[in-house]
Amino acid sequence: MSEIVLPTKKAPPTAVSPENLMIFSKPKVGKTSLLAALDNCLLLDLESGSKYIEAMRMEASDIAGIKAIGEAIKAQNNPYRYVAVDTVTKLEDLCIPYAEQLYSKSPMGKNWFKEGDGGKAKYGTIIGMPDGAGYYWLRLAFTKVTDYISTWAPTTIFLGHVKDVMLEKDGANFSAMDIDLTGKLKRITAAHVDAIGYLYRKGSKKNILSFKTAGDVTCGARPEHLKNKEIVISELDEDGKLITHWNQIFID
């Protein structure tokens, strides 16, 4: 074992652009079109939402399909610079059967798929288990899959939908926008990524990607050039052509 040398001074940053990025928005704002325009980006389409646009895409309808795509990517020496998952909301749904498989291989879940009054026959899915016991297995499955996808390319981009949550503050109700994931999965995913941006439309021609941390939107970024910033990420020119500004996000 080599000797461990402790640092005696601050080291410079070893990364500039985000290696894992989350973008979430309301429906039909243009997430898919935006990612389709990113050079050398494979769009992993889980919602069949890219069929009407020109894109470098692969579709998957279950975890087995995702695994097969990953094996093909690795067999061809990981040719993509970016992989975009469209969407994590749908990926969570696809992970439920996988979570049941993981649970069934544990001592406590060995009877999950057996006929009878217990297990799947009783609860329907793993998340129907009492006291939220099944959510641990869903989080485990989701983390395994996202970690696997993150090995496909240097940068992974996760697309998500907005979930409107009604909160009460000082006696008044207001709507807080957040990533549409279940419970702790939201926190796990947020901790995994380097930046979270909320995509919204400004006027009829510009889309803004906001990394501003605010009380009503969960956003933020570790890279210095994105911290608390709002960036015009795309706009339509006079001929209606989509112009993107990904060079404002990925600067190295």
Side-chain angles (χ1 to χ4, degrees):
M1 181 177 177
S2 60
E3 182 182 357
I4 297 176
V5 179
L6 298 176
T8 58
K9 60 181 180 180
K10 295 179 180 179
T14 58
V16 179
S17 299
E19 295 177 357
N20 294 285
L21 171 65
M22 165 71 74
I23 297 174
F24 69 115
S25 76
K26 295 180 179 179
K28 310 304 180 186
V29 172
K31 294 188 300 294
T32 304
S33 297
L34 180 63
L35 269 297
L38 179 60
D39 288 340
N40 200 19
C41 177
L42 175 69
L43 189 65
L44 178 61
D45 185 355
L46 306 179
E47 296 190 338
S48 298
S50 65
K51 61 179 64 177
Y52 298 106
I53 60 176
E54 184 177 353
M56 193 154 54
R57 63 179 174 269
M58 294 288 291
E59 292 191 22
S61 59
D62 53 27
I63 300 303
I66 293 174
K67 182 180 178 181
I69 292 170
E71 290 173 348
I73 290 172
K74 291 177 180 294
Q76 297 183 43
N77 298 316
N78 301 70
Y80 303 108
R81 176 66 180 82
Y82 310 93
V83 169
V85 181
D86 191 8
T87 64
V88 290
T89 307
K90 182 63 176 179
L91 182 61
E92 179 183 345
D93 292 338
L94 298 185
C95 283
I96 292 175
Y98 180 36
E100 293 179 345
Q101 292 176 20
L102 294 175
Y103 178 63
S104 70
K105 294 176 182 178
S106 71
M108 67 188 75
K110 61 183 179 180
N111 296 321
W112 177 255
F113 289 113
K114 291 185 178 181
E115 294 183 2
D117 296 332
K120 187 171 179 63
K122 180 177 182 179
Y123 300 117
T125 70
I126 194 82
I127 59 176
M129 292 175 66
D131 302 320
Y135 284 100
Y136 165 80
W137 297 96
L138 177 57
R139 293 193 296 271
L140 179 63
F142 186 87
T143 301
K144 282 179 174 290
V145 174
T146 53
D147 285 350
Y148 176 59
I149 293 172
S150 294
T151 67
W152 296 2
T155 301
T156 310
I157 304 169
F158 300 99
L159 305 182
H161 295 312
V162 160
K163 174 167 58 178
D164 287 334
V165 182
M166 292 306 299
L167 303 176
E168 185 173 315
K169 183 177 181 181
D170 298 329
N173 290 327
F174 67 98
S175 179
M177 292 177 292
D178 228 330
I179 304 166
D180 191 6
L181 287 171
T182 302
K184 293 181 180 179
L185 269 184
K186 179 176 61 180
R187 293 192 292 274
I188 290 170
T189 304
H192 176 72
V193 300
D194 302 310
I196 303 175
Y198 174 64
L199 183 69
Y200 68 94
R201 186 163 292 160
K202 187 174 183 179
S204 60
K205 292 189 175 183
K206 291 184 179 182
N207 274 2
I208 309 297
L209 189 55
S210 175
F211 296 98
K212 284 190 173 182
T213 300
D216 59 342
V217 182
T218 298
C219 296
R222 296 188 183 107
E224 286 294 332
H225 68 288
L226 300 178
K227 283 184 178 179
N228 211 33
K229 298 290 181 60
E230 288 199 331
I231 294 169
V232 178
I233 190 64
S234 65
E235 55 190 324
L236 298 177
D237 66 12
E238 294 179 356
D239 298 321
K241 180 181 178 181
L242 182 69
I243 307 298
T244 62
H245 303 289
W246 282 111
N247 62 331
Q248 301 294 310
I249 307 298
F250 302 110
I251 62 176
D252 53 3

